[in-house]
Amino acid sequence: NATFVWKMEDTLEVYKRPYDPKRPQVCLDETSKQLVGEVATPVPASPGQPARYDYEYVREGVANLFLIFEPLAGKRDVQVTEHRTKQDYAECLRKLADELYPEAEKIVLVQDNLNTHSPASLYEAFAPAEAKRLADRFEFHYTPKHGSWLNMAEIEFSILGRQCLARRIENREALRTEIQAWTATRNDAGRKVNWRFTTADARIKLKKLYPS
């Protein structure tokens, strides 16, 4: 419980910080999407009739999704990969540092404790000097085990699931196209999260988690 409380309060204190473009607060999470192909051609919707799909389908493998979300700026990016290895995670951090936030002095990164989510993954993917350069761009914060609800990227994944992924998608190319369209719409609208749960709230509402 003490470890849970420490990591929870650490994350909540990050969320109290004001917006600073030089130190963007970014949440990262990942999930998978089962790719499914059709056996028969779907029947499109018509007046008075919903679209119809055959109950049979073909499994086409699984895609991994990395979702990067900056809640105070209303910006997100989703990367579709074939695997969920340390190398894939390291490449995600490289893109985050060099392409999405090249001007940031330090990227404040909130993520869970998945075994690949470590600066050590950078050293497995890149030469030591490059790994150190990238690691120095980040300030790492970890949500506690069984406390993934503290990662605001999960909120975006929930919305992505309802608005984009709750249907059959056959391959990674189609998945990327659909996700890019969803991401552009969300970013253009500047959808943010107004996080209200504070450390003070936690000490009252989650009092039973605190060591006595």
Side-chain angles (χ1 to χ4, degrees):
N1 277 4
T3 299
F4 182 99
V5 167
W6 163 57
K7 290 185 176 181
M8 175 181 66
E9 291 202 351
D10 178 66
T11 301
L12 293 175
E13 289 302 303
V14 169
Y15 292 163
K16 284 175 56 179
R17 300 179 190 178
Y19 173 70
D20 183 353
K22 291 297 183 181
R23 300 181 67 88
Q25 299 172 33
V26 177
C27 299
L28 184 151
D29 199 8
E30 61 180 288
T31 192
S32 59
K33 166 65 177 174
Q34 175 72 55
L35 303 174
V36 174
E38 302 290 352
V39 173
T41 303
V43 178
S46 60
Q49 291 289 336
R52 284 169 286 175
Y53 299 85
D54 196 288
Y55 69 91
E56 293 187 0
Y57 57 87
V58 179
R59 293 181 182 271
E60 301 288 358
V62 176
N64 189 63
L65 310 179
F66 287 100
L67 190 149
I68 297 162
F69 178 45
E70 187 186 356
L72 294 180
K75 294 167 52 179
R76 72 274 297 142
D77 183 81
V78 183
Q79 301 173 37
V80 179
T81 63
E82 184 175 357
H83 304 292
R84 53 179 303 178
T85 65
K86 293 180 180 180
Q87 287 73 24
D88 293 302
Y89 169 76
E91 180 56 34
C92 179
L93 292 194
R94 187 209 59 77
K95 180 179 180 182
L96 181 55
D98 293 347
E99 298 179 30
L100 300 181
Y101 296 95
E103 304 301 322
E105 295 174 356
K106 187 79 73 171
I107 300 166
V108 182
L109 184 65
V110 174
Q111 57 186 350
D112 63 22
N113 285 282
L114 194 66
N115 64 332
T116 57
H117 292 179
S118 165
S121 294
L122 295 170
Y123 285 85
E124 296 204 20
F126 304 115
E130 174 68 357
K132 180 66 164 57
R133 179 188 73 83
L134 289 170
D136 286 347
R137 295 289 312 283
F138 292 92
E139 176 185 315
F140 293 94
H141 297 268
Y142 293 92
T143 58
K145 188 177 181 181
H146 306 305
S148 58
W149 56 273
L150 289 159
N151 188 340
M152 283 191 266
E154 282 211 348
I155 298 172
E156 284 297 299
F157 261 139
S158 177
I159 298 168
L160 174 64
R162 296 195 305 271
Q163 296 182 347
C164 182
L165 303 182
R167 56 191 176 84
R168 297 177 182 178
I169 300 177
E170 186 172 7
N171 54 59
R172 291 181 187 85
E173 291 70 28
L175 181 62
R176 287 190 181 95
T177 299
E178 295 293 336
I179 288 177
Q180 285 171 359
W182 175 86
T183 301
T185 299
R186 294 281 291 172
N187 285 343
D188 289 345
R191 300 297 186 187
K192 305 176 183 180
V193 170
N194 183 15
W195 185 270
R196 295 179 179 273
F197 191 71
T198 66
T199 300
D201 295 326
R203 291 174 181 174
I204 296 172
K205 297 179 181 180
L206 302 179
K207 183 179 179 180
K208 64 181 181 180
L209 295 178
Y210 284 74
S212 57

